[in-house]
mmCIF file of all heavy atoms in Angstrom:
data_model
loop_
_atom_site.group_PDB
_atom_site.id
_atom_site.type_symbol
_atom_site.label_atom_id
_atom_site.label_comp_id
_atom_site.label_asym_id
_atom_site.label_seq_id
_atom_site.Cartn_x
_atom_site.Cartn_y
_atom_site.Cartn_z
ATOM 1 N N LEU A 1 124.197 228.770 227.224
ATOM 2 C CA LEU A 1 123.142 228.086 227.980
ATOM 3 C C LEU A 1 121.950 227.754 227.084
ATOM 4 O O LEU A 1 121.347 226.680 227.210
ATOM 5 C CB LEU A 1 122.705 228.943 229.160
ATOM 6 C CG LEU A 1 123.749 229.153 230.262
ATOM 7 C CD1 LEU A 1 123.211 230.095 231.333
ATOM 8 C CD2 LEU A 1 124.155 227.820 230.887
ATOM 9 N N LEU A 2 121.608 228.666 226.166
ATOM 10 C CA LEU A 2 120.512 228.387 225.239
ATOM 11 C C LEU A 2 120.876 227.248 224.286
ATOM 12 O O LEU A 2 120.015 226.434 223.933
ATOM 13 C CB LEU A 2 120.164 229.645 224.453
ATOM 14 C CG LEU A 2 119.401 230.731 225.223
ATOM 15 C CD1 LEU A 2 119.254 231.985 224.379
ATOM 16 C CD2 LEU A 2 118.026 230.218 225.659
ATOM 17 N N GLU A 3 122.137 227.185 223.895
ATOM 18 C CA GLU A 3 122.567 226.078 223.039
ATOM 19 C C GLU A 3 122.484 224.752 223.796
ATOM 20 O O GLU A 3 122.089 223.722 223.222
ATOM 21 C CB GLU A 3 123.986 226.338 222.533
ATOM 22 C CG GLU A 3 124.044 227.449 221.495
ATOM 23 C CD GLU A 3 125.458 227.844 221.136
ATOM 24 O OE1 GLU A 3 126.414 227.338 221.782
ATOM 25 O OE2 GLU A 3 125.620 228.680 220.221
ATOM 26 N N ALA A 4 122.839 224.760 225.073
ATOM 27 C CA ALA A 4 122.702 223.554 225.894
ATOM 28 C C ALA A 4 121.226 223.179 226.033
ATOM 29 O O ALA A 4 120.855 221.991 225.940
ATOM 30 C CB ALA A 4 123.322 223.777 227.272
ATOM 31 N N ALA A 5 120.366 224.177 226.240
ATOM 32 C CA ALA A 5 118.929 223.922 226.342
ATOM 33 C C ALA A 5 118.402 223.339 225.042
ATOM 34 O O ALA A 5 117.579 222.408 225.045
ATOM 35 C CB ALA A 5 118.190 225.207 226.687
ATOM 36 N N ASP A 6 118.867 223.860 223.907
ATOM 37 C CA ASP A 6 118.454 223.336 222.600
ATOM 38 C C ASP A 6 118.799 221.852 222.471
ATOM 39 O O ASP A 6 118.006 221.060 221.954
ATOM 40 C CB ASP A 6 119.148 224.108 221.483
ATOM 41 C CG ASP A 6 118.216 225.109 220.816
ATOM 42 O OD1 ASP A 6 116.991 224.999 220.985
ATOM 43 O OD2 ASP A 6 118.721 226.009 220.120
ATOM 44 N N ARG A 7 119.993 221.479 222.915
ATOM 45 C CA ARG A 7 120.400 220.082 222.799
ATOM 46 C C ARG A 7 119.486 219.176 223.633
ATOM 47 O O ARG A 7 119.116 218.081 223.187
ATOM 48 C CB ARG A 7 121.861 219.917 223.241
ATOM 49 C CG ARG A 7 122.871 220.578 222.302
ATOM 50 C CD ARG A 7 124.297 220.146 222.594
ATOM 51 N NE ARG A 7 124.770 220.572 223.904
ATOM 52 C CZ ARG A 7 125.370 221.749 224.141
ATOM 53 N NH1 ARG A 7 125.548 222.619 223.144
ATOM 54 N NH2 ARG A 7 125.799 222.062 225.356
ATOM 55 N N VAL A 8 119.133 219.633 224.822
ATOM 56 C CA VAL A 8 118.249 218.838 225.674
ATOM 57 C C VAL A 8 116.849 218.766 225.067
ATOM 58 O O VAL A 8 116.209 217.704 225.055
ATOM 59 C CB VAL A 8 118.178 219.425 227.096
ATOM 60 C CG1 VAL A 8 117.153 218.681 227.944
ATOM 61 C CG2 VAL A 8 119.558 219.351 227.756
ATOM 62 N N VAL A 9 116.358 219.881 224.539
ATOM 63 C CA VAL A 9 115.025 219.891 223.929
ATOM 64 C C VAL A 9 114.992 218.983 222.705
ATOM 65 O O VAL A 9 114.013 218.262 222.484
ATOM 66 C CB VAL A 9 114.612 221.334 223.563
ATOM 67 C CG1 VAL A 9 113.347 221.334 222.714
ATOM 68 C CG2 VAL A 9 114.387 222.161 224.823
ATOM 69 N N LEU A 10 116.047 218.989 221.910
ATOM 70 C CA LEU A 10 116.106 218.092 220.749
ATOM 71 C C LEU A 10 116.047 216.633 221.176
ATOM 72 O O LEU A 10 115.502 215.784 220.468
ATOM 73 C CB LEU A 10 117.392 218.345 219.959
ATOM 74 C CG LEU A 10 117.376 219.538 219.008
ATOM 75 C CD1 LEU A 10 118.777 219.805 218.457
ATOM 76 C CD2 LEU A 10 116.416 219.290 217.851
ATOM 77 N N ARG A 11 116.589 216.339 222.350
ATOM 78 C CA ARG A 11 116.595 214.971 222.859
ATOM 79 C C ARG A 11 115.300 214.607 223.567
ATOM 80 O O ARG A 11 114.742 213.528 223.356
ATOM 81 C CB ARG A 11 117.775 214.805 223.830
ATOM 82 C CG ARG A 11 117.966 213.379 224.350
ATOM 83 C CD ARG A 11 119.031 213.351 225.425
ATOM 84 N NE ARG A 11 118.564 213.975 226.666
ATOM 85 C CZ ARG A 11 119.333 214.732 227.453
ATOM 86 N NH1 ARG A 11 120.597 214.979 227.133
ATOM 87 N NH2 ARG A 11 118.839 215.256 228.564
ATOM 88 N N ASP A 12 114.787 215.525 224.399
ATOM 89 C CA ASP A 12 113.679 215.197 225.296
ATOM 90 C C ASP A 12 112.340 215.821 224.911
ATOM 91 O O ASP A 12 111.308 215.447 225.466
ATOM 92 C CB ASP A 12 114.013 215.636 226.724
ATOM 93 C CG ASP A 12 115.247 214.932 227.271
ATOM 94 O OD1 ASP A 12 115.615 213.871 226.721
ATOM 95 O OD2 ASP A 12 115.842 215.440 228.234
ATOM 96 N N GLY A 13 112.342 216.782 224.009
ATOM 97 C CA GLY A 13 111.092 217.427 223.617
ATOM 98 C C GLY A 13 110.426 218.125 224.786
ATOM 99 O O GLY A 13 111.098 218.759 225.610
ATOM 100 N N PRO A 14 109.085 218.026 224.888
ATOM 101 C CA PRO A 14 108.359 218.719 225.955
ATOM 102 C C PRO A 14 108.751 218.281 227.363
ATOM 103 O O PRO A 14 108.454 218.974 228.330
ATOM 104 C CB PRO A 14 106.892 218.357 225.672
ATOM 105 C CG PRO A 14 106.859 217.969 224.243
ATOM 106 C CD PRO A 14 108.177 217.325 223.967
ATOM 107 N N LYS A 15 109.412 217.133 227.491
ATOM 108 C CA LYS A 15 109.819 216.646 228.810
ATOM 109 C C LYS A 15 111.131 217.280 229.293
ATOM 110 O O LYS A 15 111.576 216.988 230.410
ATOM 111 C CB LYS A 15 109.983 215.125 228.777
ATOM 112 C CG LYS A 15 108.696 214.370 228.446
ATOM 113 C CD LYS A 15 108.960 212.880 228.391
ATOM 114 C CE LYS A 15 107.715 212.111 227.953
ATOM 115 N NZ LYS A 15 107.974 210.659 227.850
ATOM 116 N N ALA A 16 111.729 218.131 228.473
ATOM 117 C CA ALA A 16 112.994 218.760 228.872
ATOM 118 C C ALA A 16 112.826 219.490 230.198
ATOM 119 O O ALA A 16 111.913 220.281 230.371
ATOM 120 C CB ALA A 16 113.450 219.737 227.790
ATOM 121 N N SER A 17 113.703 219.195 231.145
ATOM 122 C CA SER A 17 113.599 219.778 232.484
ATOM 123 C C SER A 17 114.754 220.732 232.749
ATOM 124 O O SER A 17 115.812 220.675 232.099
ATOM 125 C CB SER A 17 113.619 218.666 233.538
ATOM 126 O OG SER A 17 114.897 218.055 233.598
ATOM 127 N N MET A 18 114.534 221.606 233.705
ATOM 128 C CA MET A 18 115.611 222.528 234.104
ATOM 129 C C MET A 18 116.806 221.756 234.651
ATOM 130 O O MET A 18 117.959 222.141 234.440
ATOM 131 C CB MET A 18 115.083 223.517 235.139
ATOM 132 C CG MET A 18 113.984 224.439 234.637
ATOM 133 S SD MET A 18 114.556 225.642 233.416
ATOM 134 C CE MET A 18 115.124 226.975 234.490
ATOM 135 N N ASN A 19 116.560 220.658 235.366
ATOM 136 C CA ASN A 19 117.653 219.833 235.891
ATOM 137 C C ASN A 19 118.514 219.300 234.756
ATOM 138 O O ASN A 19 119.748 219.343 234.812
ATOM 139 C CB ASN A 19 117.096 218.661 236.704
ATOM 140 C CG ASN A 19 116.697 219.069 238.104
ATOM 141 O OD1 ASN A 19 117.282 219.979 238.686
ATOM 142 N ND2 ASN A 19 115.694 218.408 238.666
ATOM 143 N N ALA A 20 117.851 218.764 233.700
ATOM 144 C CA ALA A 20 118.588 218.191 232.580
ATOM 145 C C ALA A 20 119.362 219.268 231.827
ATOM 146 O O ALA A 20 120.495 219.046 231.386
ATOM 147 C CB ALA A 20 117.620 217.472 231.636
ATOM 148 N N ILE A 21 118.755 220.436 231.684
ATOM 149 C CA ILE A 21 119.429 221.531 230.973
ATOM 150 C C ILE A 21 120.640 222.022 231.765
ATOM 151 O O ILE A 21 121.716 222.261 231.204
ATOM 152 C CB ILE A 21 118.433 222.672 230.701
ATOM 153 C CG1 ILE A 21 117.379 222.205 229.682
ATOM 154 C CG2 ILE A 21 119.155 223.918 230.190
ATOM 155 C CD1 ILE A 21 116.191 223.126 229.549
ATOM 156 N N ALA A 22 120.479 222.155 233.082
ATOM 157 C CA ALA A 22 121.606 222.571 233.922
ATOM 158 C C ALA A 22 122.739 221.553 233.833
ATOM 159 O O ALA A 22 123.921 221.930 233.721
ATOM 160 C CB ALA A 22 121.145 222.740 235.366
ATOM 161 N N ALA A 23 122.400 220.261 233.866
ATOM 162 C CA ALA A 23 123.421 219.219 233.766
ATOM 163 C C ALA A 23 124.138 219.280 232.423
ATOM 164 O O ALA A 23 125.367 219.145 232.345
ATOM 165 C CB ALA A 23 122.783 217.846 233.973
ATOM 166 N N GLU A 24 123.370 219.492 231.356
ATOM 167 C CA GLU A 24 123.962 219.579 230.025
ATOM 168 C C GLU A 24 124.928 220.759 229.933
ATOM 169 O O GLU A 24 125.976 220.678 229.270
ATOM 170 C CB GLU A 24 122.852 219.733 228.974
ATOM 171 C CG GLU A 24 123.326 219.927 227.542
ATOM 172 C CD GLU A 24 123.964 218.675 226.947
ATOM 173 O OE1 GLU A 24 123.685 217.561 227.447
ATOM 174 O OE2 GLU A 24 124.759 218.822 225.999
ATOM 175 N N ALA A 25 124.582 221.859 230.603
ATOM 176 C CA ALA A 25 125.422 223.056 230.576
ATOM 177 C C ALA A 25 126.580 222.973 231.565
ATOM 178 O O ALA A 25 127.464 223.841 231.552
ATOM 179 C CB ALA A 25 124.577 224.292 230.881
ATOM 180 N N GLY A 26 126.576 221.960 232.433
ATOM 181 C CA GLY A 26 127.647 221.821 233.416
ATOM 182 C C GLY A 26 127.562 222.803 234.557
ATOM 183 O O GLY A 26 128.587 223.216 235.113
ATOM 184 N N ILE A 27 126.319 223.184 234.906
ATOM 185 C CA ILE A 27 126.110 224.132 236.001
ATOM 186 C C ILE A 27 125.040 223.582 236.922
ATOM 187 O O ILE A 27 124.439 222.533 236.658
ATOM 188 C CB ILE A 27 125.673 225.521 235.483
ATOM 189 C CG1 ILE A 27 124.355 225.387 234.700
ATOM 190 C CG2 ILE A 27 126.762 226.155 234.635
ATOM 191 C CD1 ILE A 27 123.776 226.723 234.267
ATOM 192 N N THR A 28 124.795 224.275 238.035
ATOM 193 C CA THR A 28 123.715 223.884 238.929
ATOM 194 C C THR A 28 122.424 224.601 238.515
ATOM 195 O O THR A 28 122.454 225.627 237.831
ATOM 196 C CB THR A 28 124.044 224.258 240.387
ATOM 197 O OG1 THR A 28 124.186 225.687 240.473
ATOM 198 C CG2 THR A 28 125.328 223.577 240.841
ATOM 199 N N LYS A 29 121.296 224.060 238.949
ATOM 200 C CA LYS A 29 120.019 224.662 238.581
ATOM 201 C C LYS A 29 119.876 226.092 239.111
ATOM 202 O O LYS A 29 119.335 226.951 238.393
ATOM 203 C CB LYS A 29 118.854 223.778 239.036
ATOM 204 C CG LYS A 29 117.543 224.200 238.399
ATOM 205 C CD LYS A 29 116.487 223.107 238.385
ATOM 206 C CE LYS A 29 115.926 222.844 239.752
ATOM 207 N NZ LYS A 29 114.707 221.988 239.704
ATOM 208 N N PRO A 30 120.352 226.411 240.324
ATOM 209 C CA PRO A 30 120.253 227.810 240.767
ATOM 210 C C PRO A 30 120.951 228.805 239.838
ATOM 211 O O PRO A 30 120.474 229.926 239.663
ATOM 212 C CB PRO A 30 120.912 227.776 242.151
ATOM 213 C CG PRO A 30 120.678 226.387 242.640
ATOM 214 C CD PRO A 30 120.802 225.523 241.419
ATOM 215 N N ILE A 31 122.061 228.375 239.234
ATOM 216 C CA ILE A 31 122.745 229.263 238.284
ATOM 217 C C ILE A 31 121.886 229.461 237.036
ATOM 218 O O ILE A 31 121.789 230.566 236.491
ATOM 219 C CB ILE A 31 124.137 228.706 237.915
ATOM 220 C CG1 ILE A 31 125.039 228.712 239.146
ATOM 221 C CG2 ILE A 31 124.763 229.513 236.778
ATOM 222 C CD1 ILE A 31 126.408 228.095 238.913
ATOM 223 N N LEU A 32 121.237 228.379 236.592
ATOM 224 C CA LEU A 32 120.344 228.487 235.440
ATOM 225 C C LEU A 32 119.190 229.436 235.751
ATOM 226 O O LEU A 32 118.819 230.281 234.917
ATOM 227 C CB LEU A 32 119.816 227.099 235.069
ATOM 228 C CG LEU A 32 119.065 226.972 233.739
ATOM 229 C CD1 LEU A 32 119.953 227.349 232.564
ATOM 230 C CD2 LEU A 32 118.554 225.531 233.566
ATOM 231 N N TYR A 33 118.640 229.328 236.964
ATOM 232 C CA TYR A 33 117.569 230.235 237.379
ATOM 233 C C TYR A 33 118.063 231.687 237.415
ATOM 234 O O TYR A 33 117.302 232.617 237.125
ATOM 235 C CB TYR A 33 117.045 229.839 238.762
ATOM 236 C CG TYR A 33 116.075 228.693 238.750
ATOM 237 C CD1 TYR A 33 116.253 227.607 239.609
ATOM 238 C CD2 TYR A 33 114.981 228.686 237.901
ATOM 239 C CE1 TYR A 33 115.353 226.540 239.607
ATOM 240 C CE2 TYR A 33 114.077 227.630 237.895
ATOM 241 C CZ TYR A 33 114.266 226.560 238.744
ATOM 242 O OH TYR A 33 113.377 225.519 238.733
ATOM 243 N N ARG A 34 119.318 231.867 237.770
ATOM 244 C CA ARG A 34 119.862 233.222 237.848
ATOM 245 C C ARG A 34 119.840 233.891 236.478
ATOM 246 O O ARG A 34 119.652 235.100 236.358
ATOM 247 C CB ARG A 34 121.292 233.171 238.386
ATOM 248 C CG ARG A 34 121.880 234.535 238.727
ATOM 249 C CD ARG A 34 123.325 234.382 239.181
ATOM 250 N NE ARG A 34 123.473 233.391 240.249
ATOM 251 C CZ ARG A 34 124.596 232.731 240.518
ATOM 252 N NH1 ARG A 34 125.677 232.946 239.772
ATOM 253 N NH2 ARG A 34 124.653 231.851 241.511
ATOM 254 N N HIS A 35 120.036 233.098 235.428
ATOM 255 C CA HIS A 35 120.045 233.647 234.072
ATOM 256 C C HIS A 35 118.640 233.820 233.487
ATOM 257 O O HIS A 35 118.404 234.758 232.725
ATOM 258 C CB HIS A 35 120.861 232.739 233.144
ATOM 259 C CG HIS A 35 122.342 232.878 233.307
ATOM 260 N ND1 HIS A 35 123.088 233.812 232.620
ATOM 261 C CD2 HIS A 35 123.213 232.193 234.097
ATOM 262 C CE1 HIS A 35 124.354 233.702 232.963
ATOM 263 N NE2 HIS A 35 124.466 232.729 233.852
ATOM 264 N N PHE A 36 117.707 232.903 233.819
ATOM 265 C CA PHE A 36 116.403 232.906 233.141
ATOM 266 C C PHE A 36 115.215 233.055 234.088
ATOM 267 O O PHE A 36 114.086 233.235 233.627
ATOM 268 C CB PHE A 36 116.230 231.619 232.318
ATOM 269 C CG PHE A 36 117.262 231.475 231.236
ATOM 270 C CD1 PHE A 36 118.335 230.610 231.389
ATOM 271 C CD2 PHE A 36 117.169 232.213 230.066
ATOM 272 C CE1 PHE A 36 119.289 230.478 230.392
ATOM 273 C CE2 PHE A 36 118.122 232.094 229.060
ATOM 274 C CZ PHE A 36 119.183 231.223 229.228
ATOM 275 N N GLY A 37 115.436 232.952 235.389
ATOM 276 C CA GLY A 37 114.351 233.107 236.354
ATOM 277 C C GLY A 37 113.632 231.816 236.646
ATOM 278 O O GLY A 37 113.651 231.326 237.770
ATOM 279 N N ASP A 38 112.993 231.230 235.624
ATOM 280 C CA ASP A 38 112.273 229.964 235.778
ATOM 281 C C ASP A 38 112.133 229.337 234.404
ATOM 282 O O ASP A 38 112.695 229.835 233.419
ATOM 283 C CB ASP A 38 110.903 230.178 236.443
ATOM 284 C CG ASP A 38 110.031 231.172 235.679
ATOM 285 O OD1 ASP A 38 110.362 231.502 234.519
ATOM 286 O OD2 ASP A 38 109.021 231.619 236.241
ATOM 287 N N LYS A 39 111.370 228.248 234.317
ATOM 288 C CA LYS A 39 111.229 227.594 233.024
ATOM 289 C C LYS A 39 110.521 228.496 232.022
ATOM 290 O O LYS A 39 110.795 228.448 230.817
ATOM 291 C CB LYS A 39 110.476 226.271 233.165
ATOM 292 C CG LYS A 39 110.565 225.413 231.892
ATOM 293 C CD LYS A 39 109.926 224.051 232.077
ATOM 294 C CE LYS A 39 110.102 223.224 230.811
ATOM 295 N NZ LYS A 39 109.450 221.908 230.911
ATOM 296 N N GLY A 40 109.601 229.333 232.514
ATOM 297 C CA GLY A 40 108.941 230.275 231.625
ATOM 298 C C GLY A 40 109.921 231.249 230.991
ATOM 299 O O GLY A 40 109.825 231.574 229.805
ATOM 300 N N GLY A 41 110.892 231.726 231.770
ATOM 301 C CA GLY A 41 111.900 232.631 231.242
ATOM 302 C C GLY A 41 112.778 231.951 230.205
ATOM 303 O O GLY A 41 113.126 232.540 229.174
ATOM 304 N N LEU A 42 113.157 230.706 230.489
ATOM 305 C CA LEU A 42 113.947 229.948 229.530
ATOM 306 C C LEU A 42 113.142 229.697 228.263
ATOM 307 O O LEU A 42 113.650 229.822 227.148
ATOM 308 C CB LEU A 42 114.391 228.618 230.153
ATOM 309 C CG LEU A 42 115.174 227.672 229.238
ATOM 310 C CD1 LEU A 42 116.475 228.312 228.796
ATOM 311 C CD2 LEU A 42 115.436 226.353 229.955
ATOM 312 N N TYR A 43 111.868 229.355 228.432
ATOM 313 C CA TYR A 43 110.992 229.121 227.289
ATOM 314 C C TYR A 43 110.944 230.365 226.401
ATOM 315 O O TYR A 43 111.076 230.277 225.183
ATOM 316 C CB TYR A 43 109.579 228.763 227.769
ATOM 317 C CG TYR A 43 108.578 228.659 226.643
ATOM 318 C CD1 TYR A 43 108.249 227.429 226.093
ATOM 319 C CD2 TYR A 43 107.981 229.794 226.120
ATOM 320 C CE1 TYR A 43 107.359 227.344 225.055
ATOM 321 C CE2 TYR A 43 107.089 229.722 225.080
ATOM 322 C CZ TYR A 43 106.775 228.488 224.540
ATOM 323 O OH TYR A 43 105.890 228.417 223.500
ATOM 324 N N ARG A 44 110.741 231.527 227.012
ATOM 325 C CA ARG A 44 110.638 232.757 226.219
ATOM 326 C C ARG A 44 111.927 233.038 225.458
ATOM 327 O O ARG A 44 111.896 233.491 224.305
ATOM 328 C CB ARG A 44 110.283 233.937 227.127
ATOM 329 C CG ARG A 44 108.842 233.914 227.609
ATOM 330 C CD ARG A 44 108.472 235.189 228.343
ATOM 331 N NE ARG A 44 109.187 235.335 229.606
ATOM 332 C CZ ARG A 44 108.770 234.815 230.758
ATOM 333 N NH1 ARG A 44 107.657 234.101 230.802
ATOM 334 N NH2 ARG A 44 109.463 235.008 231.866
ATOM 335 N N ALA A 45 113.065 232.767 226.087
ATOM 336 C CA ALA A 45 114.344 232.980 225.415
ATOM 337 C C ALA A 45 114.516 232.025 224.237
ATOM 338 O O ALA A 45 114.964 232.419 223.158
ATOM 339 C CB ALA A 45 115.494 232.810 226.405
#
């Protein structure tokens, strides 16, 4: 999931969204939240 997030961040920079990251990972946003809590949790990771 972090590798998928990296790919989105490389493409979108600060505009990277949880929706785009979930889509890149092939999962739904609630599943992404289950792993990281929120965007702050993903950011910290």
Side-chain angles (χ1 to χ4, degrees):
L1 293 176
L2 286 174
E3 288 172 354
D6 257 343
R7 292 192 295 271
V8 174
V9 170
L10 279 171
R11 185 187 71 218
D12 299 341
K15 298 178 185 178
S17 69
M18 296 291 273
N19 280 330
I21 292 168
E24 176 70 22
I27 60 174
T28 62
K29 193 159 72 168
I31 295 176
L32 191 61
Y33 280 130
R34 190 183 308 156
H35 283 272
F36 298 103
D38 57 13
K39 192 175 183 182
L42 177 62
Y43 174 97
R44 287 188 293 273

